[in-house]
Amino acid sequence: MTSAARTRARTRALTGTMAAFGLSFGMVMTSGATPASAATWPSASGNQPVTSTISVSGVRDGGMKRYYGSGDLAGDGQEEGQDPIFKLAAGATLKNVIIGAPGADGIHCEGNCTLQNVWWEDVGEDAATFRGGSTYTVTGGGARKAADKVFQHNGPGTLNISNFAVSEFKTLYRSCGDCSTQYTRKVNLNNIEVTGTGSTARLVGINVNRSDVATLRRITILNDSGRKVVPCQKYNNNTAVGTGPDSTNCLYSGSDITYR
């Protein structure tokens, strides 16, 4: 099935300057506010099959085109070791891109990188993996249909995620639990819109034995009356050891999370 055929009926076009920021009107923020409604997903300006990984250095503006795997990149499962659709060199920025299905292993950041207004319609192995840098930024955009993780943090440093929408997922952010070289990692979530599915999901999974730190601010969780979405899951590597806020690893309070 082509990526275009998999586009969901609820996909709607972004208009005006909102498209440049990857936000719906419900996610327009004033200081201290929270999102009022579900994100508006963009329509693609065109479709581009990708048979081999696209390398990006500097700034690449995709013009809201949909890129999807074909040939050797046609995988959409959870098999480890898949190649990405895009591989970003240190310092690169990728913006205004839709990654359709098959999504392969999404995006690899080899160093510091910025992902701006990037949308994953059907996450493959992972949406993005962060490797060798110190600061990574995801701003705007969204991801859905992630059978496992959305963002995988394998390298050192801090991942900042803001103005982002996620639905139909298991884990939004995971600090690697079994990488051959381990680090202390940090993640900052700010203005995140989450749609629950009635099954357990995690916003962040961090390794407290590695002194990881997650900071959560302005989180809005929709469709989760049973409180199945876990804001912060603590691990010792791959062993779950608890959940909930504290003063050391999971930095948030009840006022940082709104249920609607």
Side-chain angles (χ1 to χ4, degrees), residues 72-173:
D72 290 342
L73 290 180
D76 60 359
Q78 295 303 305
E79 298 84 2
E80 295 291 337
Q82 295 183 53
D83 290 329
I85 303 291
F86 292 97
K87 182 165 71 173
L88 276 59
T93 294
L94 180 66
K95 62 182 181 179
N96 301 326
V97 162
I98 299 171
I99 296 182
D105 201 25
I107 297 170
H108 288 182
C109 282
E110 299 303 301
N112 293 353
C113 70
T114 297
L115 307 180
Q116 180 182 346
N117 195 32
V118 177
W119 300 81
W120 290 263
E121 292 179 326
D122 193 334
V123 174
E125 183 183 353
D126 297 316
T129 301
F130 303 92
R131 297 175 180 271
S134 59
T135 304
Y136 323 89
T137 300
V138 176
T139 180
R144 60 188 178 194
K145 297 189 177 301
D148 191 9
K149 302 175 298 297
V150 177
F151 297 126
Q152 175 72 29
H153 192 172
N154 290 348
T158 300
L159 174 57
N160 299 303
I161 308 168
S162 63
N163 303 328
F164 193 81
V166 62
S167 62
E168 301 172 79
F169 71 107
K170 289 299 183 183
T171 301
L172 174 57
Y173 166 91

Side-chain angles (χ1 to χ4, degrees), residues 13-74:
L14 289 174
T15 58
T17 58
M18 299 309 298
F21 294 98
L23 303 177
S24 71
F25 286 98
M27 292 187 73
V28 177
M29 302 302 300
T30 58
S31 179
T34 52
S37 61
T40 299
W41 283 72
S43 293
S45 63
N47 295 291
Q48 177 65 58
V50 180
T51 58
S52 61
T53 299
I54 299 170
S55 296
V56 178
S57 58
V59 178
R60 182 180 181 119
D61 188 332
M64 298 313 297
K65 184 179 291 186
R66 177 186 291 112
Y67 296 82
Y68 61 94
S70 181
D72 290 342
L73 290 180

Side-chain angles (χ1 to χ4, degrees), residues 192 194-196 203 219-224 229 231 257-260:
I192 307 298
V194 182
T195 301
L203 292 187
I219 310 297
T220 296
I221 303 179
L222 312 174
N223 190 34
D224 188 30
V229 176
I257 300 177
T258 300
Y259 291 90
R260 293 185 177 167

